[in-house]
Amino acid sequence: MSNRAIYPGTFDPITNGHIDIVARAARIFDHVIVAVAASTSKNTAFSTDERVQFARDTLAEYKNVEVQRFEGLLANFVRQWGANAVLRGLRAVSDFEYEFQLAGMNKHLVPEAETIFMPTRENYSYISSSLIREIASLGGDVSEFVHPIVRDALAERFASRNPKK
Ligand code: ADP
């Protein structure tokens, strides 16, 4: 039996914290599918196509990883791809309550898949996409936290707000 994990998220944009989770998961699972949520209640800074492209570009070196967009219910996507695991990263205790609830609901909706939590690497625990967007929008340097492709895209996105001195 081959083990397939779905790693779902908004990835707006993908950060080094996400990439680290994928890299570690790629060593455990036969196949990892990064599932980029298309329809999300969140107002995203980047379009679905952009978020998918950033993930594809930054994860290209991992041969057993693929990136797909998904719409609608995660449970349906998990079934459609024949996955037996849903992967989520945990940063802080504050992530836990929501993640635990989500895991319970997904177990109910798709009993054949298990949610696997992976703890963030210590020095990535304070990285979140929303914080990265905020820093970039204020002209801060995010190069330690994201891939250069993403850093450049963020700089371009917020260029009008941060005219060069
Ligand atoms: P969502 O909108 O589903 O929370 P995100 O793109 O914010 O989507 O996050 C996707 C997954 O990656 C979540 O499980 C989240 O906890 C995890 N994650 C986000 N940032 C980090 C990080 N710095 N380290 C480890 N996991 C992370």
Side-chain angles (χ1 to χ4, degrees):
M1 192 180 109
S2 90
N3 286 313
R4 288 181 147 219
I6 305 275
Y7 180 35
T10 313
F11 304 104
D12 185 37
I14 191 163
T15 68
N16 290 345
H18 294 129
I19 293 170
D20 177 58
I21 295 282
V22 173
R24 288 153 64 200
R27 290 197 290 267
I28 299 173
F29 295 97
D30 299 302
H31 200 75
V32 178
I33 299 152
V34 177
V36 179
S39 52
T40 155
S41 50
K42 295 180 182 176
N43 224 338
T44 58
F46 294 103
S47 70
T48 310
D49 287 346
E50 287 172 314
R51 289 180 284 126
V52 166
Q53 199 54 51
F54 296 151
R56 285 200 177 133
D57 290 346
T58 57
L59 298 169
E61 70 184 88
Y62 303 102
K63 299 303 167 212
N64 58 339
V65 173
E66 70 180 286
V67 180
Q68 297 293 344
R69 62 185 278 155
F70 88 99
E71 244 151 317
L73 211 53
L74 175 64
N76 293 342
F77 187 84
V78 170
R79 277 226 176 85
Q80 183 192 332
W81 286 85
N84 55 353
V86 174
L87 180 67
R88 296 287 288 175
L90 281 184
R91 280 162 296 186
V93 180
S94 52
D95 280 343
F96 187 79
E97 200 171 327
Y98 173 70
E99 292 294 339
F100 194 73
Q101 198 182 5
L102 196 66
M105 185 52 82
N106 281 329
K107 187 70 192 159
H108 180 78
L109 294 173
V110 34
E112 62 271 27
E114 298 297 335
T115 296
I116 307 288
F117 292 122
M118 201 176 270
T120 181
R121 195 180 285 266
E122 192 186 352
N123 48 343
Y124 290 159
S125 62
Y126 52 86
I127 304 179
S128 69
S129 297
S130 58
L131 207 50
I132 297 295
R133 289 195 306 274
E134 197 173 333
I135 296 168
S137 75
L138 297 170
D141 179 13
V142 293
S143 47
E144 257 184 80
F145 313 121
V146 295
H147 190 282
I149 290 173
V150 175
R151 176 201 60 203
D152 293 348
L154 281 163
E156 198 177 316
R157 173 58 37 99
F158 296 116
S160 58
R161 290 202 217 169
N162 300 298
K164 287 206 172 71
K165 281 153 223 145

